[in-house]
Amino acid sequence: MTGPKRGTLVANVLCLGALGWLYGGELADALRIRTAEVSAVTSSPSVGRAGTVLGLTAVGLVVLG
């Protein structure tokens, strides 16, 4: 049995990095907004959604690894 091609692996790693960057940044913003004295944001990002996506991503990495 052979594994995926190199191009597929590179694309998956890039998508995983983008997912971590997007939802990791959203999670960091949500946590930073809660402790800020003043915020220009009218509605804060969802900590639960960002945490769930990052958690499921980590579980998927463990299962596939």
Side-chain angles (χ1 to χ4, degrees):
M1 184 159 113
T2 62
K5 294 183 180 181
R6 182 181 174 122
T8 303
L9 287 175
V10 169
N12 286 339
V13 168
L14 289 175
C15 288
L16 183 63
L19 186 71
W21 178 59
L22 289 171
Y23 282 101
E26 185 174 325
L27 183 61
D29 288 343
L31 295 175
R32 197 174 322 133
I33 286 171
R34 290 180 177 211
T35 59
E37 292 180 20
V38 177
S39 177
V41 178
T42 57
S43 64
S44 64
S46 171
V47 174
R49 183 179 57 165
T52 300
V53 170
L54 290 174
L56 289 174
T57 302
V59 168
L61 281 174
V62 168
V63 168
L64 292 175

